[in-house]
Amino acid sequence: MTPEKTFYITTPIYYVNDVPHLGHAYTTVAADTVARYRRLEGKKVFFLTGTDEHGQKVERAARQQGEAPQELADRVVERFKGLWQRLEISNDYFIRTTEAHHKGAVQHFFNQVYEKGDIYLGDYEDWYCTPCETFWTETQLVQGNCPDCGRSVEKLKEKSYFFRMSRYQEALLSFYAQNPHFVQPQARYNEIIRFVQGGLRDLSISRTSFRWGIPVPRDSQHVIYVWFDALANYISAAGYPEDPQQLESLWPANIHLIGKDILRFHAVYWPTFLMSAGLPLPHQIFSHGWWTVEGRKMSKSLQNVVDPNRLLDQYGVDPIRYYLLREVAFGLDGDFSHSTLIHRVNSDLANDLGNLLSRTLSMAHRYSQGQVPPGYPASGCPAAEVSEPLRAAAERALNEVRRSMEELAFHKALAGIWELVGAANKFIDEKAPWNLAKDPEQRDRLDGVLYSTLEALRQTATLLSPFLPGIARQMEEQLGIHPGDGERPTLGEATRWGGMKAGKALGKPEPLFPRLTAERIAEIRSSFRIED
Ligand code: MSP
């Protein structure tokens, strides 16, 4: 019997020439949510992230800061790792392209492609900016000048190794045709097909104009092109080449999550490298949109780059995760603004979810001595009245989460969970336990109503756990259940109605999300120097 294939999901590996920003946090939180969701389903998961540490950008950034590229990488990598910890990212491995193992894997990969006859030495000719020591293509130039420094460029030639990408045009097109879900969303898939139909040129995969990279085997004048090096991280972290067994259990990856700007590298270059090396292709490349900030492109020159650490300081981790996943449809562009973030926190988190938990728990403490009351059928109250409405709402939420997670529609999954939260709030309003409590004859009904609401909350916590792991834990603590991250029952088990055990002690009610008051909002605005 072949062992069960592990669900393998990746983020891009981030350049270390700059510190992490909102865009990096976005991809990583999304990938983390998928990884947690698949684990909750009971699957074995391998979730990979890491850093892209070679290439001219990194070499240049290091020079500007007066340090060696490795020193820069060692310093900046800690910023990424620290941020992932704060964002509760549950990656199984963190790859750095300067690791000895990765370097060996890339050279091995290069050799495999070389032996296939797909690499040759030729002349690379393009527009060169001498002060920046960078080649640019015609289309990258800005008014004929260097897009980085604005100075003039000249046509220059250097020796380079080329990959025969042109050979793979037909094979790639037929692969796309056979795998209509290879690139998501659909509009991006169509763009990629059009691009490849337009013709594939051979690709320059080595450079001699700088040193910071992995040497080409047998020709150390050249370093390997940073994208050839970086893309190979997805297999080198999976055991390529020395551990074929591990590689087989992980590769091909189920999903490469990336931003739309790097789709061509993933959906065109990467598959052709793999075809040449005789390795299977990943199942899916999912490309998400870009965030603008308060309506403008995020850029250093506009000084509006959003530092996720500062957001975490002001709002905390779960509100940020919630906002990123709920505010825009994954795949589309979105606009970050403090006002929409504050609105989400106050309305969805504090009002809807926070209130539901605190009012339910305080009633259970008041009317049921802080214990889970008997539910249906023990309470003797008809199911149609006390458990059916919320049981059905919980089932609908589960189905919506399942459906939406297949297409990475995080916003829809969360909206589905909020339908359940809304149904539970409405249920309490309608059943008015405070009135039932006045009449001893209504004891059964009161128990049944409280039980169902507690059970709906338990299921809400389970459904939320991939998205908001911290909140799920806090909710479970207050509900008196402690599944612990590792031994959590699977999604199917945890969403069977009736998991709350009558007689069990509930925890202490604590506010989940304090509402952001006018005073706090003013503080936040001044800390981000937002003018009215
Ligand atoms: N090192 C390459 C990836 C190599 S993967 C084999 C790289 N790194 S990056 O650090 O520049 O960018 C990483 C990711 O951040 C990309 O997926 C990119 O789309 C994403 N984002 C950068 N700015 C962004 C926004 N403003 N909004 C959303 N995501 C953005 O590219």
Side-chain angles (χ1 to χ4, degrees):
M1 224 174 65
T2 44
E4 189 206 348
K5 161 90 174 61
T6 302
F7 186 93
Y8 181 17
I9 179 161
T10 67
T11 73
I13 49 172
Y14 303 110
Y15 286 129
V16 290
N17 59 325
D18 213 345
V19 295
H21 60 60
L22 186 71
H24 304 128
Y26 184 48
T27 327
T28 315
V29 164
D32 181 64
T33 303
V34 178
R36 287 175 182 273
Y37 175 74
R38 295 296 174 186
R39 287 190 201 108
L40 180 60
E41 280 195 322
K43 294 218 167 66
K44 240 193 185 168
V45 170
F46 187 67
F47 167 23
L48 177 70
T49 188
T51 39
D52 190 352
E53 304 188 355
H54 289 127
Q56 192 160 25
K57 279 196 202 193
V58 175
E59 189 182 86
R60 194 177 319 133
R63 191 177 324 126
Q64 277 162 5
Q65 298 182 39
E67 55 188 346
Q70 189 67 60
E71 273 171 2
L72 172 80
D74 290 347
R75 191 162 54 74
V76 176
V77 74
E78 293 309 322
R79 300 283 294 265
F80 280 96
K81 287 184 172 172
L83 178 61
W84 300 158
Q85 234 171 25
R86 289 190 76 187
L87 278 168
E88 298 217 40
I89 301 304
S90 63
N91 55 301
D92 296 289
Y93 188 63
F94 187 104
I95 188 165
R96 300 183 57 182
T97 54
T98 52
E99 267 164 46
H101 169 264
H102 174 78
K103 292 193 225 172
V106 169
Q107 290 184 322
H108 195 277
F109 193 50
F110 189 98
N111 280 336
Q112 247 187 309
V113 175
Y114 187 86
E115 278 155 26
K116 182 78 179 285
D118 281 341
I119 292 179
Y120 63 92
L121 189 62
D123 287 315
Y124 179 77
E125 190 178 13
D126 229 328
W127 295 100
Y128 190 72
C129 171
T130 313
C132 292
E133 296 176 42
T134 307
F135 276 103
W136 302 105
T137 62
E138 187 88 35
T139 51
Q140 286 174 316
L141 300 181
V142 176
Q143 287 162 348
N145 292 324
C146 171
D148 260 9
C149 71
R151 282 178 277 207
S152 60
V153 289
E154 52 180 332
K155 256 281 157 77
L156 212 75
K157 243 192 210 171
E158 69 170 19
K159 283 277 172 225
S160 169
Y161 286 93
F162 281 83
F163 168 63
R164 293 189 200 276
M165 198 157 68
S166 56
R167 269 192 180 169
Y168 291 92
Q169 183 175 351
E170 288 315 312
L172 201 51
L173 287 171
S174 80
F175 174 79
Y176 294 154
Q178 282 157 24
N179 296 275
H181 302 294
F182 180 59
V183 174
Q184 286 293 315
Q186 199 62 28
R188 303 272 166 228
Y189 170 76
N190 299 337
E191 264 169 44
I192 286 293
I193 292 182
R194 275 196 299 277
F195 171 77
V196 176
Q197 280 169 340
L200 283 184
R201 289 198 307 177
D202 289 351
L203 181 73
S204 158
I205 55 163
S206 78
R207 299 285 187 268
T208 54
S209 52
F210 61 91
R211 302 304 317 145
W212 183 237
I214 301 173
V216 165
R218 299 169 298 280
D219 191 348
S220 56
Q221 287 289 302
H222 293 250
V223 294
I224 294 176
Y225 174 44
V226 67
W227 274 98
F228 190 92
D229 164 353
L231 287 162
N233 92 86
Y234 301 133
I235 51 174
S236 84
Y240 173 89
E242 79 298 335
D243 191 343
Q245 242 176 335
Q246 192 200 8
L247 189 65
E248 206 188 321
S249 74
L250 295 176
W251 191 256
N254 295 69
I255 306 181
H256 291 316
L257 266 197
I258 56 163
K260 62 181 183 180
D261 54 316
I262 55 176
L263 180 58
R264 200 174 288 177
F265 298 100
H266 283 80
V268 180
Y269 297 7
W270 180 224
T272 60
F273 299 163
L274 289 165
M275 280 178 181
S276 171
L279 287 164
L281 310 197
H283 290 298
Q284 188 170 81
I285 319 281
F286 200 113
S287 114
H288 64 69
W290 267 44
W291 286 92
T292 49
V293 175
E294 314 271 353
R296 305 171 80 182
K297 187 171 181 245
M298 188 160 65
S299 92
K300 267 192 179 167
S301 53
L302 291 174
Q303 297 189 326
N304 66 347
V305 177
V306 178
D307 173 357
N309 280 300
R310 293 189 52 211
L311 290 181
L312 291 169
D313 293 342
Q314 293 298 332
Y315 296 96
V317 52
D318 288 296
I320 296 304
R321 287 180 67 116
Y322 180 73
Y323 177 78
L324 291 176
L325 298 169
R326 178 70 183 85
E327 191 65 13
V328 282
F330 200 62
L332 301 183
D333 293 339
D335 184 47
F336 172 90
S337 75
H338 287 277
S339 55
T340 51
L341 170 53
I342 290 166
H343 179 74
R344 285 276 171 211
V345 174
N346 276 349
S347 115
D348 301 7
L349 299 180
N351 271 3
D352 298 345
L353 180 64
N355 276 350
L356 175 65
L357 181 71
S358 74
R359 71 204 286 221
T360 308
L361 277 174
S362 56
M363 287 190 289
H365 279 275
R366 198 169 318 135
Y367 307 134
S368 187
Q369 296 86 46
Q371 288 179 357
V372 180
Y376 171 81
S379 73
C381 186
E385 208 182 303
V386 290
S387 64
E388 226 6 66
L390 289 191
R391 197 202 53 71
E395 196 176 302
R396 279 196 302 275
L398 170 67
N399 290 337
E400 185 58 55
V401 168
R402 284 202 160 127
R403 205 173 24 243
S404 306
M405 289 305 281
E406 288 309 314
E407 45 188 73
L408 306 197
F410 306 109
H411 67 299
K412 279 204 226 158
L414 286 167
I417 301 173
W418 255 258
E419 290 283 320
L420 171 59
V421 171
N425 271 321
K426 190 164 154 252
F427 180 75
I428 297 181
D429 294 342
E430 283 172 6
K431 302 290 175 193
W434 45 91
N435 288 337
L436 299 177
K438 289 180 196 148
D439 179 359
E441 298 265 295
Q442 299 284 353
R443 181 74 235 177
D444 287 352
R445 186 157 284 118
L446 174 62
D447 284 348
V449 166
L450 288 179
Y451 179 89
S452 288
T453 319
L454 287 165
E455 175 64 11
L457 275 165
R458 185 188 70 80
Q459 299 214 8
T460 302
T462 301
L463 294 175
L464 276 181
S465 62
F467 304 86
L468 311 178
I471 281 307
R473 271 196 309 273
Q474 264 173 268
M475 289 177 70
E476 282 166 346
E477 231 157 79
Q478 296 191 35
L479 293 168
I481 39 182
H482 310 277
D485 263 2
E487 68 220 77
R488 187 183 282 283
T490 60
L491 184 61
E493 291 157 6
T495 48
R496 235 165 265 145
W497 189 262
M500 288 301 269
K501 294 286 166 261
K504 248 192 123 194
L506 294 163
K508 213 167 108 222
E510 312 252 10
L512 274 187
F513 298 98
R515 221 187 128 70
L516 297 172
T517 57
E519 206 177 26
R520 270 292 292 136
I521 295 171
E523 250 172 55
I524 291 173
R525 294 180 81 83
S526 88
S527 97
F528 285 99
R529 295 204 192 85
I530 303 169
E531 279 134 41
D532 287 312

